[in-house]
Amino acid sequence: MNKASKTARPPAAPARASARERESTGAVEERMYQDIYDAIMEHRLPPRTKLTEQTLCQIYDTARHTVRKVLSRLASEGMVDLEANRGAFIASPSHAEVRDMFELRNILEHAVLEKVGREAGTRQIAGLRRMVEEERDCYLNGDRPRWIRLSAQFHLALAELTGNALLVETLRKLVSRTTLMIAKTEAPGHNACSFDEHETVLEALEKGDVAAAQSHMAHHLHLCEDRVRPDADDQFDLRAVLGKGL
């Protein structure tokens, strides 16, 4: 063995990413998540739109593992379907699945109101009322993204008052997956103002009438199911939709 071999140093370990680099990756990840989430909820990316990893890498100038983390997060929330050997697609529940999801939501939210009606105090109800007022303001001011978010969040905020984290997470996926199917233009004969329907639920809770609150919620969910959009075959350019033209 020669002297050079004895003194040779092992290959240097790859340098760890700096805190700034990690923060930058985290910021890109969050921005990508928010952009895609908003585009789905605003129906700029309709059901069955393919989210191509390579295109997303180019749009956000990031690595595939970052894209995959975002897609996995969206999949866990019911917004995206990951299909083996095919890729990621905006979720497109079948009519039968939509019907089943709304039936399950009705069961869960009926139970939520039963518990909240017994335990929630004036302060908690007041917080929900402020949310509904903000929902109304966003709708009237034309802030559709914020309105859609608050419309969905109302149901989760109610569930959070039960203190049951598993219930909240179960409902979160159902709410996300059904909300993305609501038509961009409401079906004829239906009022788009979800906040009015939320208001009737709160009024019943404030009066201590849990049965009425449950009835109003069931009616609201029935109207939501009626607003589900028909299947769409349109093709969309991810760069154009996400506003990141190269």
Side-chain angles (χ1 to χ4, degrees):
M1 183 179 293
N2 59 38
K3 185 175 181 180
S5 298
K6 293 180 180 179
T7 58
R9 294 181 179 179
R16 292 186 178 181
S18 66
R20 184 173 182 177
E21 288 173 332
R22 289 196 299 271
E23 180 181 5
S24 176
T25 300
V28 170
E29 182 181 325
E30 187 61 27
R31 178 161 56 87
M32 189 192 312
Y33 168 81
Q34 292 295 341
D35 285 350
I36 297 174
Y37 182 95
D38 287 345
I40 294 172
M41 284 303 193
E42 293 170 50
H43 300 284
R44 289 184 285 115
L45 287 176
R48 294 308 297 168
T49 300
K50 186 170 184 178
L51 299 174
T52 310
E53 287 185 9
Q54 182 178 355
T55 302
L56 290 171
C57 287
Q58 293 171 348
I59 291 172
Y60 291 94
D61 190 22
T62 192
R64 281 184 182 268
H65 67 82
T66 300
V67 171
R68 288 169 181 167
K69 283 181 66 176
V70 172
L71 295 179
S72 293
R73 180 178 173 186
L74 289 164
S76 71
E77 296 179 0
M79 308 292 286
V80 166
D81 290 331
L82 300 178
E83 301 181 7
N85 301 319
R86 297 197 66 225
F89 298 82
I90 305 301
S92 179
S94 66
H95 290 298
E97 185 182 352
V98 169
R99 183 180 63 250
D100 289 347
M101 286 191 295
F102 273 108
E103 182 178 9
L104 182 53
R105 278 191 64 177
N106 209 351
I107 292 169
L108 292 176
E109 298 196 52
H110 187 278
V112 164
L113 289 170
E114 183 70 36
K115 187 169 185 180
V116 170
R118 292 196 314 266
E119 301 176 1
T122 304
R123 186 165 60 88
Q124 287 89 349
I125 300 300
L128 290 170
R129 185 169 289 282
R130 286 192 296 273
M131 178 179 290
V132 171
E133 286 303 314
E134 186 178 356
E135 184 186 346
R136 185 192 306 275
D137 290 343
C138 289
Y139 178 83
L140 296 177
N141 292 329
D143 187 352
R144 182 175 178 85
R146 181 68 175 159
W147 166 55
I148 292 173
R149 280 179 177 272
L150 288 168
S151 179
Q153 185 60 35
F154 172 80
H155 295 268
L156 299 178
L158 264 175
E160 286 168 358
L161 293 181
T162 66
N164 188 319
L166 182 57
L167 172 59
V168 174
E169 286 309 304
T170 301
L171 194 57
R172 186 184 306 280
K173 185 169 184 176
L174 289 169
V175 170
S176 295
R177 202 165 173 86
T178 51
T179 298
L180 69 86
M181 296 299 291
I182 302 299
K184 182 174 182 179
T185 302
E186 301 298 330
H190 291 297
N191 188 345
C193 303
S194 58
F195 46 81
D196 286 337
E197 296 159 18
H198 294 164
E199 185 80 23
T200 62
V201 173
L202 292 183
E203 288 174 352
L205 285 177
E206 288 175 327
K207 294 175 183 177
D209 192 340
V210 174
Q214 291 168 325
S215 177
H216 289 313
M217 180 64 81
H219 179 65
H220 169 53
L221 293 177
H222 174 71
L223 292 180
C224 287
E225 184 175 358
D226 282 351
R227 293 168 186 153
V228 168
R229 63 179 297 156
D231 295 333
D233 296 323
D234 299 331
Q235 299 298 315
F236 288 77
D237 183 342
L238 283 180
R239 292 186 181 89
V241 170
L242 297 175
K244 311 289 181 183
L246 297 178

